[in-house]
Amino acid sequence: MPTLIPPVNALDHATGAEHATIELVEYGDFQCPYCREAFFIVKELQQQLGDKLRFIFRNFPLSEAHEYAMDAALAAEAAALQQQFWPMHDALYNRQSDLDETLLVTLATELGLDLHKFSNDMDTPRLLSKVEADFESGVRSGVNGTPTFYVNGKRYDGDYQDLASFLVR
Amino acid sequence: MLQKGEKAPDFTLPSTPEKSITLADLRGKNVILAFYPADWSPVCSDQMSLYNEMLKYFERYNAVLLGVSVDGAWCHQAFAKARQLHFDLLADFEPKGAVSRLYDVYAEGVSQRALFVIDAEGIIRWSYLSPIGQNPGADGILDALEKIK
């Protein structure tokens, strides 16, 4: 069974209680329609499980298949530098059908980001390296499509629609 | 299927209706052979689409990726265009499955979902047969390439 490489660490975007019993990691692509479906499922899980769940998101943009996937990943990372990763993550999935370069700026504006810093950050090689490092870690961890989930470090091979029943056993 | 340590059998197969690729011509580079059952499987979880995203990681290991299925060259061309694939898909079409048989990964009329990593001297360094319905990902390929380096 493939395991998460590297384990969750300080570079990750994590939300939920630090010592939660369930650590759920998603490798996702902001333009992938299946990831959007999974986004709503994870939202419900967060409501349902509260402090028992810690959720971590890593980038796995399929940039050849999805025109804006890489830019969206960079936008989320740029927002993270202004402590707004999760609001951007949520906004990207909520408005996925409108995703293009304009939407990224619109969302940054709506989130009250410093736009000058945001667009500079999106172009820095450091951010690209972060996204590529996520991608490569995904490949190492056995990601074979998006979304792929890991529960407490082990790849979850079931259907993401059944995540709730798997976690709430 | 052929195993680690065996010499990779040479072959020549069409990659487009006009062009062919010969394995021996790629000596000096590592070669990833990815046999798969058919073009046109669903997008987001598609093995070839995933590998398409990984070409630059493979290049870092001096590796060339070749997809192989029993689909014809025209079919491959349409598939590669639709998915914007930037690597060669080889048509093991006539005689059907001949190269897949050579590597012992032919069954029920199609190539099995099998991976081979071949080193710069043409020796198989890793091989893996995946359940046909399961995308094997690329972690095994990267591990094998890393060991060659």
Side-chain angles (χ1 to χ4, degrees), chain B residues 6-72:
Chain B
E6 295 187 77
K7 192 172 180 325
D10 195 27
F11 59 79
T12 300
L13 283 178
S15 60
T16 71
E18 301 84 26
K19 194 180 114 191
S20 287
I21 287 186
T22 298
L23 182 66
D25 291 348
L26 295 169
R27 284 294 132 74
K29 281 185 171 294
N30 299 310
V31 176
I32 304 152
L33 279 186
F35 291 88
Y36 64 103
D39 292 342
W40 308 107
S41 52
V43 179
C44 286
S45 58
D46 179 68
Q47 188 187 1
M48 293 303 124
S49 298
L50 173 68
Y51 293 173
N52 196 38
E53 307 283 344
M54 293 207 46
L55 297 178
K56 71 175 161 198
Y57 299 92
F58 294 150
E59 275 165 26
R60 286 180 198 164
Y61 294 98
N62 187 34
V64 182
L65 170 67
L66 300 171
V68 186
S69 80
V70 296
D71 296 289

Side-chain angles (χ1 to χ4, degrees), chain A residues 2 32-34 60-66 70 131-133 135-136 139-146 155 157, chain B residues 42-47 49-50 52-54 56-57 60-61 83-84 86 134-139 142-143 146:
Chain A
C32 163
Y34 305 106
F60 203 81
L62 300 170
S63 46
E64 296 288 345
H66 298 141
M70 178 52 96
V131 174
E132 288 185 347
F135 187 93
E136 196 166 358
V139 172
R140 289 275 177 198
S141 305
V143 170
N144 52 15
T146 52
R155 191 173 73 186
D157 283 347
Chain B
V43 179
C44 286
S45 58
D46 179 68
Q47 188 187 1
S49 298
L50 173 68
N52 196 38
E53 307 283 344
M54 293 207 46
K56 71 175 161 198
Y57 299 92
R60 286 180 198 164
Y61 294 98
R83 298 282 160 84
Q84 299 185 55
H86 305 300
Q134 195 179 307
N135 176 347
D139 46 329
L142 285 188
D143 287 346
E146 197 149 71

Side-chain angles (χ1 to χ4, degrees), chain B residues 79-94:
Chain B
F79 178 59
K81 192 174 174 209
R83 298 282 160 84
Q84 299 185 55
L85 303 181
H86 305 300
F87 59 96
D88 288 309
L89 300 176
L90 306 183
D92 196 10
F93 181 69
E94 181 58 40

Side-chain angles (χ1 to χ4, degrees), chain A residues 86-142:
Chain A
W86 291 106
M88 182 62 92
H89 164 277
D90 292 5
L92 284 166
Y93 280 125
N94 276 316
R95 289 156 76 175
Q96 190 186 61
S97 56
D98 299 326
L99 184 58
D100 62 11
E101 287 106 342
T102 318
L103 181 74
L104 301 179
V105 180
T106 306
L107 296 180
T109 310
E110 288 176 12
L111 293 176
L113 302 186
D114 174 340
L115 291 183
H116 181 70
K117 177 170 163 52
F118 176 77
S119 69
N120 278 346
D121 286 341
M122 270 191 68
D123 290 334
T124 58
R126 190 164 71 90
L127 242 56
L128 182 63
S129 306
K130 164 80 167 78
V131 174
E132 288 185 347
D134 272 4
F135 187 93
E136 196 166 358
S137 82
V139 172
R140 289 275 177 198
S141 305

Side-chain angles (χ1 to χ4, degrees), chain A residues 14-84:
Chain A
T15 180
E18 201 162 333
H19 299 292
T21 48
I22 303 168
E23 179 195 80
L24 180 67
V25 175
E26 176 186 357
Y27 281 92
D29 167 328
F30 288 112
Q31 204 178 346
C32 163
Y34 305 106
C35 296
R36 182 169 192 272
E37 279 181 22
F39 163 73
F40 294 106
I41 290 167
V42 171
K43 280 281 171 215
E44 275 177 34
L45 279 173
Q46 287 172 316
Q47 294 248 316
Q48 202 180 339
L49 293 169
D51 284 351
K52 289 188 202 131
L53 179 70
R54 188 162 173 83
F55 177 59
I56 292 95
F57 183 89
R58 289 181 177 173
N59 295 291
F60 203 81
L62 300 170
S63 46
E64 296 288 345
H66 298 141
E67 188 178 0
Y68 302 111
M70 178 52 96
D71 281 346
L74 291 170
E77 291 297 332
L81 295 178
Q82 299 187 46
Q83 285 69 53
Q84 296 290 319

